[in-house]
Amino acid sequence: QYLKIKKCGQFWPHFCGENMKRPISITILSYIIIIANIVLVTVALVGTYNLFQRIEFALSGAIISNLLETLSYTTIGIISAIALLKGKDWARFVLLFSAIPKIIYYSFTIFLIEDDYEKLGFVLIILVFSFIMIYFLFNNKATLFFTQKKG
């Protein structure tokens, strides 16, 4: 039998009603996403600056488009994580739809990595974090928190 919640507070009486507190897993996950995206933007900006000093001007368009792509999806990640902290239900689905392509891509990448264990470790970390993120965004406590009546 699956765990079914028939009424608010049946299994978690302290997580009920309009004053339900944000689960700690959502708080930790949101801050991890924010910090990771800030680090990614910083690395991308520093890397782009270093590349511009070493390459020909003809390649600069590709580097700028890569930087803009990185800035766009990190901005979406930061906005979604802040919305999670504020209890916005749409943010869960934005993060879900950003995690699914990563899971599919990196699942196939595992089969292409032959003897590069550093890349394999990186891919496994991304896959594990994506599955953990999906679990904590859609478990019963999180669903109760995001679907409660605000106001």
Side-chain angles (χ1 to χ4, degrees), residues 15 20-34 80-89 91-93 95 129 132-147:
F15 289 111
M20 180 180 165
K21 294 186 179 188
R22 179 177 57 234
I24 190 71
S25 59
I26 297 297
T27 305
I28 292 170
L29 186 66
S30 298
Y31 284 120
I32 288 173
I33 292 170
I34 290 170
S80 297
I82 292 171
L84 280 180
L85 290 171
K86 293 185 175 191
K88 305 294 183 187
D89 192 34
R92 295 190 308 159
F93 295 99
L95 291 171
F129 181 75
I132 289 171
M133 180 182 75
I134 291 171
Y135 171 76
F136 282 119
L137 287 176
F138 291 94
N139 67 13
N140 287 334
K141 288 182 184 179
T143 302
L144 281 174
F145 171 70
F146 286 109
T147 58

Side-chain angles (χ1 to χ4, degrees), residues 23-120:
I24 190 71
S25 59
I26 297 297
T27 305
I28 292 170
L29 186 66
S30 298
Y31 284 120
I32 288 173
I33 292 170
I34 290 170
I35 291 168
N37 282 308
I38 289 172
V39 168
L40 185 59
V41 167
T42 305
V43 168
L45 289 173
V46 169
T48 302
Y49 177 74
N50 289 335
L51 279 175
F52 270 129
Q53 292 180 345
R54 292 183 283 156
I55 63 162
E56 297 177 15
F57 186 72
L59 297 175
S60 63
I63 294 170
I64 290 177
S65 68
N66 189 15
L67 177 65
L68 290 176
E69 177 186 346
T70 302
L71 289 175
S72 65
Y73 67 75
T74 53
T75 302
I76 291 170
I78 291 171
I79 290 171
S80 297
I82 292 171
L84 280 180
L85 290 171
K86 293 185 175 191
K88 305 294 183 187
D89 192 34
W90 59 264
R92 295 190 308 159
F93 295 99
V94 169
L95 291 171
L96 173 69
F97 292 129
S98 70
I100 289 174
K102 284 182 199 172
I103 290 171
I104 292 170
Y105 174 77
Y106 287 116
S107 295
F108 287 113
T109 304
I110 286 178
F111 298 112
L112 301 176
I113 298 173
E114 293 176 0
D115 290 331
D116 194 351
Y117 294 111
E118 187 174 311
K119 284 184 184 176
L120 180 63

